[in-house]
Amino acid sequence: NVEHNQFIIQDFCTLAGLEPSDRGRGSLEQVAKIMRQLSTNPEADIENFFRRAILAVTINDGDMHRKNIAMLFEYNPEKQQFVSVRMSPTYDVTSEIWQYDQDQKQVLSIQGKTSGIKPKTMLAFAKSIGIEEGRAQQILEATTTQIAARAVEIARNMPEEAAKHECCQFTADRIATIAVKNAAHLGGSVPAWENVEAPKTTITTVDGQRQLKILQPKPR
């Protein structure tokens, strides 16, 4: 008979016994501690979690909170036990393209910081969660390099339908700009890329609704 295992996904609000409203509370170090305790392959999961943190910092992901990080539990009904507990595939990744890079903040702190994160911050974080320094440096360089290259590749090869719409191309260009800038800052090797900056904007309220107003066109 073919075994049909069941899968349950639990985010790190639930796993930490917190309410959904507490999703932005705490640090990535606290998440990593729970992950290490639960995982059936903690070394691999901790490295993947480090890569997820690198991704968040590199593309200005301002939405990496506890409910957007999870563990995937695989349950075998015949054995009546969990046969695997692993970090889930990455989901719900955002890039804050309208924010000026220097103002971007992470939700969960990394080594006590939510902004101004430097290579030494990431390496200290890796050490605190059990990744050896040389290995952490290797992962940081490789991951930032891959992120920048992929972001530029996507921006330069948009699907035909998406390329017809200026907003789609602008979004891809901004993500590539952010990725290249931050990847270089974190020590990655980056491809040649002409930056596309966010235009200056202001928030106005019309009939009770907040609206974003562009004050000048984006330079090309």
Side-chain angles (χ1 to χ4, degrees):
N1 295 331
V2 178
E3 294 182 349
H4 295 283
N5 289 349
Q6 300 168 349
F7 292 87
I8 304 168
I9 190 168
Q10 294 284 314
D11 63 53
F12 278 85
C13 263
T14 302
L15 294 173
L18 300 174
E19 296 296 325
S21 58
D22 292 324
R23 62 187 180 276
R25 193 171 122 193
S27 67
L28 292 188
E29 287 87 350
Q30 292 170 343
V31 171
K33 183 178 180 179
I34 296 173
M35 183 177 294
R36 183 175 286 281
Q37 292 171 344
L38 294 174
S39 176
T40 52
N41 191 342
E43 302 308 319
D45 277 343
I46 289 296
E47 286 197 358
N48 283 334
F49 183 54
F50 183 45
R51 293 184 181 94
R52 176 66 181 91
I54 294 169
L55 175 63
V57 174
T58 304
I59 66 167
N60 284 2
D61 182 357
D63 199 41
M64 187 186 175
H65 51 68
R66 286 177 178 269
K67 290 195 71 62
N68 283 342
I69 316 165
M71 298 295 285
L72 190 64
F73 295 75
E74 182 178 0
Y75 181 77
N76 185 295
E78 292 186 3
K79 297 179 180 179
Q80 295 188 348
Q81 65 182 30
F82 290 104
V83 294
S84 173
V85 182
R86 299 295 307 276
M87 179 180 171
S88 76
T90 296
Y91 62 93
D92 207 358
V93 179
T94 67
S95 182
E96 307 295 334
I97 64 170
W98 286 100
Q99 301 226 16
Y100 292 100
D101 297 341
Q102 62 268 27
D103 296 330
Q104 179 57 36
K105 292 185 177 181
Q106 295 296 306
V107 178
L108 302 174
S109 66
I110 303 172
Q111 291 292 288
K113 295 183 176 182
T114 55
S115 63
I117 296 170
K118 301 177 180 179
K120 65 180 182 180
T121 312
M122 298 304 294
L123 294 176
F125 167 61
K127 182 179 180 180
S128 73
I129 62 176
I131 303 176
E132 184 271 328
E133 183 177 357
R135 177 60 177 160
Q137 183 71 55
Q138 182 184 44
I139 292 172
L140 181 61
E141 292 178 3
T143 304
T144 51
T145 296
Q146 291 167 0
I147 292 168
R150 183 61 177 143
V152 168
E153 180 185 7
I154 291 172
R156 287 176 173 165
N157 298 278
M158 293 287 283
E160 182 179 353
E161 184 59 36
K164 294 178 182 178
H165 303 280
E166 184 180 1
C167 63
C168 294
Q169 187 64 61
F170 171 68
T171 298
D173 288 347
R174 273 297 288 159
I175 294 173
T177 296
I178 291 166
V180 167
K181 178 179 178 179
N182 289 340
H185 171 69
L186 292 171
S189 299
V190 301
W193 173 256
E194 183 180 350
N195 289 348
V196 173
E197 302 298 340
K200 292 183 179 179
T201 61
T202 185
I203 300 293
T204 59
T205 302
V206 178
D207 296 329
Q209 298 293 320
R210 299 182 72 198
Q211 296 182 357
L212 181 72
K213 180 180 180 181
I214 297 176
L215 299 181
Q216 65 182 34
K218 68 180 186 298
R220 292 292 305 192

